[in-house]
Amino acid sequence: MTLTGKVAFVTGAASGIGREIAAEYVRAGAKVVIADINQTAADAAASELGKDKAIGIAADVTDEAQVEAAVAKGIATFGNIDILVSNAGIQIVHPIEEFSFAEWKKMLAIHLDGAFLTTKACVRQMKKSGKGGSLIYMGSVHSKLASVLKAPYVTAKHGLIGLCKTMAKEGAPHNIRANVICPGFVRTPLVDKQIPEQAKTLGISEADVVKNVFLKETVDGEFTTTADVAQVALMFAAFPTNALTGQSLVVSHGWFMQ
Ligand code: NAD
């Protein structure tokens, strides 16, 4: 699968899953815009991939002006946007009554407003170029099922499936596809932070959080890796027709089976 001549705009690509997707896309021949709220980390990720292949741009995906400016800078640098990976995300875990309204709104803003704002800016370019494109949303197994302590995350990740299905329909006449990737637990900073938090809230050891909460329902007790997710992201980006659109693909060691 090749992405030669393609340009990808990947949010949250300074760390974890997004960073691996950016690297996989460059290996497949794409140029990549690494858009992240963390400017220093975005610049570091871009320079690791090579200055002619990647650019780091500071952007908070919840801020419309910053998203518009980042997409414009990506187009000015590499000439187009063919692929959007809306991946930036955070996690906050509490029982519902301990969530502040501000935390709830922050979670929905990063995951859903971020997807909306980046979609809007990238779709405009995909239509203008006449080349179409691929919209990829980073969902989760939590786009399919729920876990305790994660009300806003589960709500937002389910919401991405609705946006994806809508974009599959709106995008089809313009050769724009939309799909969701739904990973199981991946060892990134986002997950590492949750282990002690969940141990404290649930009153169990950190080892038990991993074995009996995170990986309990997998077929083999294994974490999904950033490389696993990047392979799926490559497939969705490179797939050449509208035959594969409006889908959500779970990559989770069998934690959730369709
Ligand atoms: P991560 O913490 O390693 O990386 C997230 C990146 O997003 C960071 O670089 C961070 O700076 C950036 N970011 C945060 N808020 C931002 C904002 N407002 N604007 C722009 N960038 C912002 O996390 P990760 O595990 O790689 O998560 C990436 C995505 O994958 C998230 O959407 C997450 O929900 C999803 N996901 C993760 C897992 C997992 O187990 N790690 C599982 C399923 C889905």
Side-chain angles (χ1 to χ4, degrees):
M1 282 182 286
T2 174
L3 297 179
T4 305
K6 305 283 186 193
V7 182
F9 187 93
V10 187
T11 69
S15 173
I17 292 170
R19 187 167 181 152
E20 186 72 39
I21 291 172
E24 186 65 31
Y25 283 2
V26 166
R27 283 192 287 273
K31 313 264 192 208
V32 179
V33 178
I34 294 176
D36 201 287
I37 199 166
N38 184 335
Q39 166 96 68
T40 311
D43 287 344
S47 68
E48 198 179 287
L49 294 176
K51 289 234 175 303
D52 53 330
K53 296 181 181 129
I55 179 174
I57 300 180
D60 177 345
V61 295
T62 69
D63 183 307
E64 184 168 18
Q66 290 185 33
V67 169
E68 289 287 338
V71 169
K73 190 168 176 194
I75 295 164
T77 306
F78 293 132
N80 191 27
I81 303 286
D82 303 278
I83 301 153
L84 164 66
V85 184
S86 173
N87 164 81
I90 62 164
Q91 180 61 284
I92 304 174
V93 290
H94 296 306
I96 190 79
E97 66 274 24
E98 289 176 21
F99 267 105
S100 68
F101 192 25
E103 286 174 323
W104 169 268
K105 284 195 277 199
K106 182 177 182 184
M107 287 291 288
L108 267 52
I110 294 175
H111 293 271
L112 290 177
D113 297 1
F116 162 69
L117 292 172
T118 51
T119 298
K120 190 175 164 186
C122 291
V123 161
R124 193 187 307 120
Q125 175 62 22
M126 288 170 184
K127 287 186 180 175
K128 191 174 160 197
S129 73
K131 294 181 177 171
S134 179
L135 306 169
I136 300 168
Y137 301 101
M138 196 53 62
S140 162
V141 165
H142 287 108
S143 300
K144 303 286 183 177
L145 51 71
S147 295
V148 295
L149 312 178
K150 295 188 173 176
Y153 189 81
V154 171
T155 302
K157 292 301 190 188
H158 276 65
L160 289 174
I161 293 198
L163 176 62
C164 163
K165 289 177 177 174
T166 307
M167 293 319 302
K169 290 195 171 187
E170 284 190 22
H174 308 277
N175 203 25
I176 298 169
R177 296 173 274 289
N179 293 288
V180 183
I181 305 174
C182 301
F185 280 100
V186 183
R187 280 309 284 260
T188 66
L190 179 143
V191 159
D192 286 339
K193 179 172 164 282
Q194 283 177 68
I195 297 173
E197 290 173 357
Q198 292 227 18
K200 193 168 168 226
T201 310
L202 299 171
I204 59 178
S205 71
E206 293 189 15
D208 277 345
V209 170
V210 171
K211 189 162 182 270
N212 296 322
V213 180
F214 287 2
L215 304 178
K216 186 171 181 222
E217 302 294 336
T218 61
V219 293
D220 53 11
E222 297 281 342
F223 277 100
T224 301
T225 66
T226 56
D228 296 326
V229 181
Q231 285 301 310
V232 177
L234 175 58
M235 180 195 66
F236 278 139
F239 199 86
T241 73
N242 281 345
L244 187 62
T245 195
Q247 302 305 303
S248 47
L249 184 57
V250 181
V251 50
S252 71
H253 283 258
W255 168 14
F256 177 84
M257 297 191 192
Q258 301 274 5

